[in-house]
Every structure is written in C-alpha cells, then in structure tokens.
Amino acid sequence: MITIYHNPRCSKSRAAVALLEEKGLTFNTHLYLENPIPKNVLLTALEILGESMIRKNEADYKEHIKGKNLQGEELVNAMLQFPKTIERPLVVNGSKMALGRPIKNIEEIL
C-alpha cells in the first residue's frame, strides 16, 4: 500500500497526490501536520533519504534544530516536535521511499 505524508498547503505535495490519482493508484493520505508521522517511518526515511528529509529554511529548524548536531532518534524527535521541518511530500511504497522534490522521484518508486 502506498502512503503519502501530505501537507495540502504545499504545491509539491498537491502535485504528488495528483500524480498518484492520475496513475489510478490506491493510496492512503496522511496529513502529518495534524497526525504525526510514525517515529519508525521517520527513522527509516532519515536512513534512506538522509538530511534531504529536513527543511533547513524553516524558522523552526533555524530556531530549534540548527547547530545542535542531532542525529538518528534525537533528530527524529525534534522533527516530530516541529513537523514543519519535515520535507514534503514523503511517499512510501512498501520498503521504498521518496520525496516529491522533484516529482519524478515518486515515479521511480511506483
């Protein structure tokens, strides 16, 4: 099952949903600002995608994470505390994950 961790206010996230719909795929939509991403999913995403998971231009990143040299579970805990720092959209298809920046990343895991 495909899951998209989605922020409907984000144009890239909306484009990812449109891509999945256009392809006629069944998927779950998880609004991560309302309902946190499961910690194990974020840990795996950080392992697979690295620091590209983090929105370094976000005010919360600059204020609460930058310069603290957080890694692994500590970094994930900070991302969960400040979810706007999580890059979006994150699409999970089984054991594969991709960020929709650029959108072609998602196509590669479908």
Side-chain angles (χ1 to χ4, degrees):
M1 174 58 80
I2 299 169
T3 300
I4 180 168
Y5 294 92
H6 176 54
N7 178 351
R9 297 183 75 190
C10 170
S11 64
K12 296 291 185 189
S13 199
R14 290 190 308 270
V17 167
L19 171 72
L20 296 173
E21 289 173 342
E22 187 178 288
K23 292 191 172 287
L25 299 169
T26 302
F27 60 96
N28 291 321
T29 302
H30 184 115
L31 302 175
Y32 72 92
L33 292 177
E34 297 174 16
N35 184 20
I37 297 173
K39 190 174 189 174
N40 66 317
V41 172
L42 266 183
L43 281 166
T44 301
L46 195 58
E47 288 174 18
I48 292 172
L49 302 168
E51 291 207 11
S52 64
M53 282 295 305
I54 303 167
R55 296 177 55 84
K56 294 182 177 178
N57 289 327
E58 283 293 324
D60 281 345
Y61 172 81
K62 292 175 184 176
E63 186 175 337
H64 302 288
I65 299 173
K66 185 178 180 178
K68 293 189 177 175
N69 198 27
L70 302 176
Q71 298 194 8
E73 194 166 340
E74 288 180 321
L75 182 55
V76 166
N77 287 338
M79 293 165 72
L80 288 169
Q81 186 175 1
F82 304 102
K84 288 182 181 178
T85 64
I86 300 170
E87 187 59 87
R88 60 193 181 253
L90 172 64
V91 177
V92 178
N93 185 7
S95 63
K96 300 180 222 168
M97 297 182 162
L99 291 170
R101 293 174 181 270
I103 200 82
K104 72 177 182 158
N105 291 344
I106 295 171
E107 292 175 331
E108 293 173 5
I109 67 163
L110 300 177

